[in-house]
Amino acid sequence: MIISEIFEFLQLLDSDLYYYIEKFGIYIYFLLFAIVFGKTGFVILTFLPGDSLVFASGAIAAMDQLSLLSLFFIFFIATSLADSNNYLIGKSIRNIPSENSRLMKIIPIQTLDKARIFLNDYDKVAITFSRFIPLMRTMMPFIAGFTGYSYRSFVSYNVLGAFVWTSIWLGTGFAFGNMSWVKGNLLFTLSFITIVMFIPSICGFVVSFKKNKLETKMKS
């Protein structure tokens, strides 16, 4: 019962953020840091809110309920440290046989393969912009560490990606938050942002499906 309540709280945090600001006060900043860090810092916590949470925080900052500057540093530092943490996790278990690793049993092999191919094909671009793609944002740092990718190069482009991601989502939320319509329809706006967030994944799935179908047809 307690676990289900925690999951419900985390899933509704972005849409109910205004309520939790009043409830937790200044401690809301610690909670926001923990949520964003957990999402990309650990492969198994990918279900946590990310884009929509940062967007909602920016929108509420526009209403003078949160500090925009504080939010920027919190999200920027949290996502930068989280990806480094995920990288080190991948690096630490790279020499452990997959049959002896509990984590490798949880992660679908198809997801690992897609992330590895994405990293090989796009390299620095993948590290910088993978956080904009659901699932890839969590898998990319892990795969980078798991495959022995240079940590120095990873950190450089990871920090750049964290800066771009934080600036776009927080800045967009702040800009929208200044619109009177958004102030009265924040829940609808967050739902729309969540749908838009999955468009890249849907496009990728369609392209992959057509490619596999064509390859199957050519083999037959």
Side-chain angles (χ1 to χ4, degrees):
M1 183 65 179
I2 296 178
I3 295 179
S4 63
E5 291 177 354
I6 293 175
F7 270 87
E8 183 178 1
F9 163 75
L10 293 173
Q11 291 174 341
L12 297 177
L13 179 61
D14 47 5
S15 58
D16 294 341
L17 184 56
Y18 194 85
Y19 164 76
Y20 290 112
I21 291 173
E22 295 183 342
K23 184 175 182 179
F24 294 114
I26 190 67
Y27 296 105
I28 190 67
Y29 291 107
F30 294 97
L31 179 61
L32 293 175
F33 179 93
I35 295 297
V36 173
F37 179 88
K39 182 174 181 64
T40 54
F42 302 94
V43 178
I44 60 175
L45 297 182
T46 186
F47 63 88
L48 294 175
D51 301 339
S52 58
L53 179 64
V54 178
F55 178 91
S57 300
I60 294 177
M63 305 173 195
D64 296 324
Q65 297 298 316
L66 291 172
S67 167
L68 183 66
L69 185 61
S70 297
L71 288 173
F72 178 83
F73 281 110
I74 285 174
F75 291 137
F76 172 67
I77 294 173
T79 190
S80 297
L81 293 178
D83 281 358
S84 290
N85 180 72
N86 208 348
Y87 174 97
L88 295 175
I89 291 176
K91 184 177 181 180
S92 66
I93 67 172
R94 62 180 297 192
N95 296 321
I96 301 177
S98 58
E99 61 271 13
N100 296 330
S101 174
R102 294 182 180 179
L103 183 60
M104 298 303 291
K105 293 178 181 179
I106 296 175
I107 305 173
I109 188 64
Q110 297 88 344
T111 302
L112 286 171
D113 290 339
K114 288 180 180 179
R116 186 182 289 108
I117 293 173
F118 189 58
L119 178 61
N120 291 335
D121 289 347
Y122 299 100
D123 195 42
K124 299 178 179 64
V125 175
I127 296 174
T128 304
F129 297 104
S130 62
R131 67 187 71 246
F132 288 93
I133 305 175
L135 294 181
M136 283 296 148
R137 76 186 65 195
T138 302
M139 292 305 306
M140 193 53 55
F142 178 84
I143 287 297
F146 187 75
T147 57
Y149 191 89
S150 169
Y151 182 69
R152 179 176 295 181
S153 296
F154 173 82
V155 168
S156 299
Y157 290 94
N158 170 51
V159 170
L160 175 60
F163 179 84
V164 174
W165 180 79
T166 303
S167 299
I168 289 178
W169 283 111
L170 190 61
T172 303
F174 187 80
F176 273 75
N178 281 298
M179 301 178 183
S180 57
W181 186 89
V182 174
K183 291 180 180 179
N185 299 274
L186 184 59
L187 180 59
F188 174 82
T189 305
L190 290 175
S191 300
F192 175 75
I193 291 297
T194 301
I195 294 174
V196 171
M197 182 177 63
F198 282 98
I199 290 179
S201 296
I202 296 174
C203 292
F205 173 79
V206 172
V207 172
S208 178
F209 176 78
K210 289 184 177 180
K211 183 178 179 182
N212 292 336
K213 187 175 181 180
L214 179 62
E215 290 178 351
T216 301
K217 186 177 180 180
M218 291 179 65
K219 290 179 180 180
S220 60

